[in-house]
Amino acid sequence: MPLAQAEIMQPSQPQPLAPGYSDLTFTAPIPGTYKLPVLGQASDGNVLDSEGHAITLHSLMCNTAKPEKIVLLNFIYSTCSDINGCPLATAVFHKIKNRLEKAPELASHLRLITLSFNPEHDTPERMKEYGATLQGKGVEWHFLTTRSEQELQPILKNYKQTAEKIYDAKGKFTDTFSHNLRVYLIDQHKQLRNIYNTELLHPDTLIGDIKTLLQPEAKLAEPASSNPEKSALYSAGDNKLSYENKGYQTNSISLTRRTGQPADLLKTITQPPLGLSPVPVPENNPITAEKINLGRKLFFDRRLSINNTFSCAMCHIPEQGFTSNEMATAVGVEGRTVMRNSPTLYNVAYMQSLFHDSRESTLEQQVWGPLLAHNEMANPSIGTVIDKIKDSPDYDGLFEKAFDKEPSMETIGMAIASYERTLNSANSPFDRWYYGKDSKALNAKAQRGFQLFIGKAQCNQCHTINKEYALFADNNLHNTGIGYADAMTDKPSNPSQRVQVSPGVYVEVASKMIDSVAESKANDLGRYEITQNPQDRWRYKTPSLRNVKLTAPYMHNGSIATLREVIEFYNRGGIANENLDPLIKPLYLSSAEIDDLTAFLEALTGDNVQELVSDAFAAPVGDSD
């Protein structure tokens, strides 16, 4: 089991030891016969060595005062009891250390770094004690911690290393963590070259990779070439990857260069893509091309906000899956904080309820929520929106043509809803394989993932699949523990906070100063806020999994960055609390099975995504005069 879950549950059968404890079951490739691609830049961070000296991670990776070395970095906490968690990483490092003692030339090119993610317990003195029996002659092994959780969190975030405190049903910290085992291989240029998990961590493979990086004739592997501008058109141009480094470069492009072609959006309703059922259309708002075109214009019009700067599309960004890949939770007009993640609008026509807490039942009603919310588009009244549209010459006659009526609360909602109902996307590789009976449409890995999806992983209990179509959602709400942990976790109190002001540049700002201008984060209780039923605490609506590869970050609060991490979260059984949904249980998936399941989810991307995005780029953005 790759996750440190043994501390909060007892499997009915003995936990098998990870491969790193025994001999390799296959012949490792010869060093230098393969390449390790650059996965990104290794992040920096403020840490303490075992003597209590303040240093940075980068100072141990590349420093003119020290020889440039390859680094193996792992995160642990010293009291971890999961045999396949932190103890495995330490055991593999110890085996490598023992081999390096007999290979001084190789040892001179390598540093081992062990960093604790429990600074409250693992002080410099504790880390020194932890490492005392592990150190070896001629081998450089550093045991580090941080001054506080405040200094630790940016490091964990940048390395995508999860480490969640485990609380009991009363909200008390149990002194244990739920975490993913990760070991990072970093070359002499501070570039990530490999990441090892429980299934892949073995001293033979690590040493082989180190020797490969040391081959003198091997050139540094470069990331796959791409056209940044083309990439930015259909993804987040400013995705913040490696944003912690000063060398960060954005791929964002100007609005004037985001050009597209209008599409026949009505076709997605009259001829739904393979894998979707007929599109539900309310009797009182039949679809017409005139309504769609008007709704599209309203959706992208920044004048529909209090200061003419913010449109619907600025939270539901077309090239970012009609959500926002760049932000965990939405940000409204003037940078006002929204406490939840922007849900995708792909296939929203099929949703029986809307918002993460299911507080609305129709798209026509839903659109007025963000239009009037103080922290979203902040219009002071319904009449303000209507009057602004009536006073805009470019809307003259459009409502009359679409509805035979003037702009009103009703017709504005109907128009925007009509556009949103056209954002239907399917005919994915899965659809062509499963519904279209094309045996070659889905690769073997994704097919194995599908069997896990409907079998061992039990994903289809909430993300349903029917014989003729699949929404991959049950239109229900569930408590996974994410909301509970967010609300009940103690927030560290520090006199100052580390704030990033630009790529690779951080400053310490007094917490009192931040508090003076910041809005206090309200606890999010999920569906309970609508029903006041205690059983609804931290229950949130099941999202559709269609196009899920495009809609990171995940969960109602955007707290999980990647699909694999989402699967790993469910693999360890969510987060325990008194209202945890009974469907959420540990899955005991292997790392290879998680890979297969991830591949299946990535095969749910519709084939018309670029067409819908291109159509969005052709829409006017509503500039003020």
Side-chain angles (χ1 to χ4, degrees):
M1 184 172 57
L3 304 169
Q5 192 73 10
E7 298 151 322
I8 60 172
M9 66 184 184
Q10 294 296 324
S12 58
Q13 54 187 2
Q15 184 179 7
L17 290 178
Y21 286 112
S22 56
D23 294 335
L24 271 183
T25 57
F26 58 90
T27 302
I30 299 172
T33 60
Y34 57 95
K35 288 186 177 182
L36 295 168
V38 176
L39 304 179
Q41 287 294 119
S43 297
D44 199 6
N46 296 320
V47 295
L48 299 175
D49 66 18
S50 57
E51 298 297 331
H53 300 137
I55 59 175
T56 66
L57 279 177
H58 275 183
S59 70
L60 295 176
M61 296 177 188
C62 182
N63 191 318
T64 55
K66 298 179 181 180
E68 293 182 354
K69 296 187 177 184
I70 293 170
V71 168
L72 282 174
L73 167 67
N74 78 315
F75 295 86
I76 62 105
Y77 71 107
S78 64
T79 56
C80 179
S81 61
D82 177 11
I83 193 65
N84 288 337
C86 305
L88 169 63
T90 301
V92 170
F93 273 31
H94 191 256
K95 288 184 178 182
I96 291 174
K97 183 267 298 183
N98 289 340
R99 296 191 193 181
L100 294 182
E101 287 180 341
K102 301 174 184 179
E105 174 60 24
L106 185 59
S108 68
H109 293 286
L110 182 67
R111 283 191 190 98
L112 305 177
I113 299 178
T114 294
L115 173 58
S116 170
F117 52 74
N118 187 14
E120 184 177 353
H121 178 272
D122 291 341
T123 61
E125 295 79 12
R126 180 70 186 95
M127 293 305 291
K128 184 175 182 179
E129 178 185 344
Y130 182 83
T133 59
L134 299 171
Q135 296 281 13
K137 184 181 295 186
V139 179
E140 196 176 341
W141 192 349
H142 299 265
F143 294 86
L144 311 176
T145 188
T146 54
R147 201 183 308 273
S148 64
E149 286 195 18
Q150 177 188 357
E151 290 193 347
L152 171 69
Q153 288 306 317
I155 300 174
L156 296 182
K157 180 180 178 181
N158 291 332
Y159 279 94
K160 295 181 172 59
Q161 170 67 66
T162 59
E164 299 171 356
K165 289 183 175 180
I166 296 174
Y167 296 85
D168 61 22
K170 296 181 179 180
K172 182 179 178 182
F173 177 41
T174 62
D175 297 319
T176 57
F177 291 79
S178 179
H179 65 96
N180 303 320
L181 177 66
R182 292 286 186 271
V183 172
Y184 302 83
L185 177 65
I186 302 165
D187 68 18
Q188 303 97 317
H189 305 277
K190 296 182 290 191
Q191 297 178 121
L192 288 170
R193 305 304 289 272
N194 211 346
I195 302 174
Y196 311 91
N197 58 20
T198 303
E199 300 297 326
L200 300 177
L201 188 63
H202 195 283
D204 291 353
T205 54
L206 267 65
I207 288 177
D209 287 352
I210 293 164
K211 289 180 177 179
T212 292
L213 291 182
L214 291 172
Q215 294 290 322
E217 68 276 11
K219 296 182 180 179
L220 290 177
E222 298 292 338
S225 60
S226 61
N227 181 331
E229 185 161 312
K230 183 177 180 181
S231 173
L233 278 175
Y234 298 104
S235 63
D238 211 14
N239 59 22
K240 305 299 190 294
L241 291 177
S242 300
Y243 198 64
E244 68 281 1
N245 298 309
K246 291 184 178 180
Y248 174 85
Q249 291 186 343
T250 179
N251 286 329
S252 293
I253 59 176
S254 67
L255 282 175
T256 57
R257 300 172 76 176
R258 293 165 77 252
T259 58
Q261 294 293 324
D264 180 7
L265 297 179
L266 189 59
K267 185 176 66 175
T268 72
I269 294 180
T270 59
Q271 301 174 41
L274 179 67
L276 292 177
S277 63
V279 181
V281 177
E283 291 184 3
N284 66 344
N285 189 22
I287 288 287
T288 67
E290 290 77 14
K291 291 180 184 179
I292 294 169
N293 292 335
L294 176 56
R296 174 172 166 269
K297 179 178 174 66
L298 292 164
F299 185 89
F300 291 94
D301 196 334
R302 297 183 292 185
R303 295 171 295 180
L304 266 61
S305 62
I306 189 171
N307 60 1
N308 304 319
T309 63
F310 209 87
S311 71
C312 304
M314 295 178 77
C315 280
H316 303 281
I317 306 168
E319 67 270 33
Q320 297 181 32
F322 281 92
T323 173
S324 175
N325 302 150
E326 301 176 33
M327 297 180 183
T329 57
V331 173
V333 68
E334 295 182 339
R336 298 172 189 174
T337 300
V338 181
M339 69 179 178
R340 292 175 183 162
N341 177 261
S342 300
T344 180
L345 296 184
Y346 279 126
N347 302 312
V348 71
Y350 294 89
M351 295 300 168
Q352 295 174 12
S353 63
L354 302 156
F355 293 110
H356 288 289
D357 53 22
S358 292
R359 66 181 181 270
E360 284 289 3
S361 58
T362 73
L363 286 170
E364 286 79 1
Q365 295 165 184
Q366 179 275 333
V367 299
W368 283 99
L371 282 169
L372 299 177
H374 173 73
N375 59 348
E376 295 188 52
M377 297 171 79
N379 290 290
S381 69
I382 297 168
T384 301
V385 180
I386 296 172
D387 290 343
K388 186 177 287 189
I389 292 172
K390 286 183 176 180
D391 292 339
S392 300
D394 53 315
Y395 280 100
D396 287 350
L398 296 184
F399 279 84
E400 289 78 4
K401 183 177 180 181
F403 297 100
D404 199 23
K405 298 179 182 178
E406 290 187 339
S408 66
M409 184 180 186
E410 178 188 37
T411 55
I412 292 169
M414 285 180 166
I416 297 176
S418 295
Y419 169 66
E420 291 176 338
R421 282 198 179 92
T422 69
L423 301 177
N424 304 310
S425 179
N427 197 33
S428 66
F430 164 76
D431 296 310
R432 297 193 294 273
W433 172 73
Y434 190 75
Y435 296 115
K437 309 303 179 185
D438 181 353
S439 60
K440 297 180 180 179
L442 197 66
N443 64 39
K445 189 172 186 177
Q447 290 185 35
R448 294 195 301 270
F450 171 68
Q451 294 303 323
L452 290 165
F453 188 92
I454 62 174
K456 182 178 180 180
Q458 304 178 57
C459 309
N460 64 327
Q461 291 192 79
C462 298
H463 301 282
T464 54
I465 300 175
N466 296 325
K467 290 183 178 180
E468 297 179 356
Y469 60 88
L471 184 57
F472 291 95
D474 60 358
N475 278 301
N476 207 337
L477 299 94
H478 302 274
N479 177 334
T480 66
I482 289 281
Y484 165 82
D486 199 25
M488 302 300 289
T489 300
D490 292 331
K491 308 299 188 294
S493 177
N494 297 290
S496 66
Q497 298 180 38
R498 189 169 183 251
V499 177
Q500 186 172 11
V501 294
S502 65
V505 179
Y506 299 83
V507 295
E508 289 290 330
V509 180
S511 294
K512 288 184 177 180
M513 182 178 293
I514 294 175
D515 292 341
S516 70
V517 297
E519 182 178 353
S520 298
K521 181 180 178 181
N523 278 340
D524 186 347
L525 299 177
R527 180 66 176 170
Y528 171 82
E529 297 179 8
I530 310 305
T531 66
Q532 298 295 295
N533 181 347
Q535 295 302 313
D536 282 337
R537 285 175 296 169
W538 308 300
R539 294 178 71 223
Y540 300 92
K541 189 165 74 75
T542 305
S544 171
L545 296 182
R546 287 197 173 276
N547 297 303
V548 69
K549 180 182 178 181
L550 309 178
T551 60
Y554 304 102
M555 305 312 215
H556 74 277
N557 59 356
S559 59
I560 302 184
T562 68
L563 277 177
R564 184 181 177 89
E565 289 172 305
V566 173
I567 298 171
E568 288 170 339
F569 168 78
Y570 286 114
N571 196 37
R572 58 183 180 263
I575 298 174
N577 69 91
E578 59 183 293
N579 289 341
L580 182 68
D581 196 292
L583 294 175
I584 309 295
K585 300 175 182 178
L587 305 176
Y588 305 104
L589 299 175
S590 69
S591 180
E593 288 174 325
I594 291 174
D595 286 341
D596 289 345
L597 190 49
T598 302
F600 169 68
L601 295 177
E602 291 177 344
L604 299 179
T605 303
D607 70 346
N608 64 335
V609 165
Q610 289 196 10
E611 181 182 7
L612 293 175
V613 173
S614 179
D615 174 83
F617 288 167
V621 296
D623 288 318
S624 297
D625 295 332

